[in-house]
DNA sequence: CAGTGGTCTAGACCACATC
DNA sequence: ATGTGGTCTAGACCACTGG
């Protein structure tokens, strides 16, 4: 049934409502962009007051899982290009301008076994397969970032067979639309590294130059890791912007 | 008067209550650690319902400005060592262990004119004065971070005269307790840079080695910049951890 | 116009902390 | 026992959206 509405001991009512709605989103019963039932409809369904449903939905809205729009309804959050850019792309020009990586040149797109790091990050066995995409992203007209994206092949069945030209600049929207996988949160580890000779060639710099390495693990709603993305970025007139609230 | 309780055109009631409480915190009328009046007391004072006060306080709690504790009360957020560490210190060992910089060796502590970058970041004129603290922070027993902290001298009148040994490891708690200045939010810019010969000496590495440069501007509640902190960190077995929700 | 979320109220009861 | 925040209800009215 699609009605797992339990209150497992002392959990507040609104939390049970929240989790029930969450379950429908996670299971795909409610897809990104869909409108949720109205507050009153949910209140009626779960036999709680409208205020309790409101608190549950406000909670989900605070976590960016749904978007509430007065007069229209409550909708499951979707990956728009702006959201992807503002939410997941943190490289900014030093003058504060938000320059997006306009072009990206795909170097390769293949299917292979994961290395130790990838297997660990994506919770895979060494015998499993991953699809690896390597590309160079340009900013302000010049090559600025080398990127190696790695995803479990089982969830992205034909990704390696797509023509290289078909890979869009914004991957997360494609994950969502084409494979039904919504990236919800990510954690990034940043380090300073020396450019390898390969990096140097790709970015037009001297080997040994300092590069900002960003190692990102992206997760779905239910916490499964879906992507390991290792980027090396030239921080020349640019920086990684982090806000601590 | 301490009662600027206006509703400037179409602003929700709870927002007016929130701003009124905020005003008391910002003005120092309510200091960090102080307990706020109870929900009913505030409701009575502002002539609104308790639910409206609740919404106002929940809003402040969501912004980390107050802390609510069931059965005890609502308190103005204060800088505990843990808060400082978990909230503002993002360097983590690669195995995930949260190693704090135990020791810090202060190299100098002096009063001088700001350079162009400092003046811009701290909204000062070139004729103003700043206090500069330079130090080396150790992690895991080895020198790992060089740090230059810069604050407006006018708000920290005798900071430069304090004995170097007196400067504590956690500065923000001292800012709050000794100067009544609460750091509330910060923004950090990260870059990869090459170690200068000075950096190399300080950290025991070769000149030119890649270092993670973190340039942080810390702000008070009302958005005034109070500190420019430039750190250069050896990311060897460590990284800067950033979570995107 | 009907339907949606947003605000606000008044009151009840619960859970926790302190004396 | 008292006072605090946390949950939940029922209902009123407002503001916005779209047919």
């Amino acid at each position: 049934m699609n009605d797992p509405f339990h209150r497992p001991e002392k959990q507040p009512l609104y939390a049970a409502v929240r989790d029930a709605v969450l379950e429908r989103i996670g299971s795909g019963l409610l897809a990104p962009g869909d409108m949720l039932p109205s507050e009153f409809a949910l209140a009626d369904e779960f036999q709680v007051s409208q205020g309790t449903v409101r608190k549950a939905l406000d909670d989900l809205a605070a976590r960016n899982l749904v978007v509430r729009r007065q007069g229209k309804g409550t909708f499951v959050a979707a990956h728009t290009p702006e959201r992807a850019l503002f939410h997941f792309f943190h490289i900014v020009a030093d003058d504060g301008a938000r320059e997006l990586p306009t072009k990206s040149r795909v170097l390769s797109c293949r299917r292979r076994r994961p290395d130790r790091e990838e297997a660990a990050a994506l919770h895979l066995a060494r015998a499993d397969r991953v699809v690896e995409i390597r590309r160079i992203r340009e900013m302000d007209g010049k090559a600025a970032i080398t990127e190696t994206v790695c995803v479990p092949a089982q969830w992205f069945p034909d990704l390696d067979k797509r023509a290289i030209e078909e890979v869009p600049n914004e991957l997360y929207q494609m994950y969502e639309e084409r494979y039904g996988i919504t990236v919800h949160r990510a954690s990034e580890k940043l380090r300073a590294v020396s450019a390898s000779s390969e990096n140097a060639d790709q970015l037009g710099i001297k080997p040994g130059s300092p590069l900002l390495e960003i190692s990102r693990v992206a997760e779905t709603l239910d916490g499964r890791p879906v992507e390991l993305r290792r980027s090396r970025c030239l921080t020349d007139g640019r920086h990684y912007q982090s806000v601590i609230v």
Side-chain angles (χ1 to χ4, degrees), chain A:
Chain A
M1 300 301 289
N2 64 19
D3 202 354
F5 182 63
H6 312 304
R7 178 136 67 140
E9 285 307 316
K10 307 287 276 173
Q11 193 189 21
L13 243 191
Y14 76 87
V17 174
R18 185 225 308 128
D19 292 346
V21 174
L22 201 49
E23 170 63 26
R24 293 191 195 173
I25 298 176
S27 73
L29 213 151
L30 285 169
D34 285 358
M35 179 179 162
L36 274 62
S38 77
E39 296 181 351
F40 283 105
L42 288 170
D44 188 57
E45 178 183 352
F46 293 125
Q47 289 296 297
V48 299
S49 78
Q50 179 252 3
T52 300
V53 171
R54 165 165 288 271
K55 180 148 188 174
L57 295 185
D58 281 347
D59 195 342
L60 294 174
R63 309 188 200 186
N64 297 315
L65 290 168
V66 302
V67 177
R68 316 200 69 179
R69 281 197 283 260
Q70 181 171 110
K72 302 185 76 172
T74 303
F75 302 83
V76 181
H79 272 290
T80 63
E82 310 82 48
R83 174 169 153 80
L85 183 62
F86 280 85
H87 216 68
F88 289 101
F89 193 76
H90 288 186
I91 304 289
V92 176
D94 282 346
D95 62 15
R98 197 132 195 147
E99 41 164 0
L100 61 169
T102 42
K103 271 194 293 187
S104 73
R105 185 161 58 87
V106 176
L107 304 177
S108 67
C109 185
R110 61 206 183 92
R111 185 186 166 95
R112 59 165 173 78
R113 293 187 191 274
D115 65 25
R116 198 175 303 277
E117 183 188 359
E118 291 156 0
L122 299 174
H123 296 176
L124 295 177
R126 294 298 294 274
D128 290 328
R129 297 292 193 284
V130 295
V131 174
E132 177 211 72
I133 299 172
R134 299 179 65 206
R135 58 178 180 173
I136 311 283
R137 307 183 84 173
E138 288 186 7
M139 296 184 74
D140 200 22
K142 285 189 289 285
I145 305 174
T146 74
E147 205 163 75
T148 302
V149 178
C150 230
V151 297
Q154 57 188 123
W155 299 344
F156 298 84
D158 58 350
L159 180 55
D160 59 313
K161 296 187 198 72
R162 304 191 68 182
I164 280 179
E165 291 76 24
E166 256 188 275
V167 175
N169 199 4
E170 280 305 331
L171 292 178
Y172 291 171
Q173 205 172 353
M174 181 195 69
Y175 293 174
E176 184 170 288
E177 287 169 5
R178 193 171 166 93
Y179 300 99
I181 290 175
T182 301
V183 169
H184 175 242
R185 62 196 295 283
S187 107
E188 297 190 331
K189 301 183 201 300
L190 287 83
R191 284 185 196 79
V193 299
S194 292
S196 67
S197 56
E198 189 186 4
N199 297 152
D201 285 347
Q202 294 164 332
L203 300 177
I205 55 175
K206 281 199 283 260
S209 303
L211 292 177
L212 180 63
E213 182 179 85
I214 307 173
S215 179
R216 172 195 295 177
V217 177
E219 294 179 0
T220 56
L221 182 60
D222 49 348
R224 286 178 312 176
V226 289
E227 182 197 74
L228 172 63
R229 180 184 294 216
R230 281 161 294 189
S231 310
R232 288 188 165 200
C233 180
L234 200 50
T235 52
D236 194 50
R238 285 184 267 286
H239 58 267
Y240 180 97
Q241 182 74 48
S242 171
V243 175
I244 307 169
V245 184

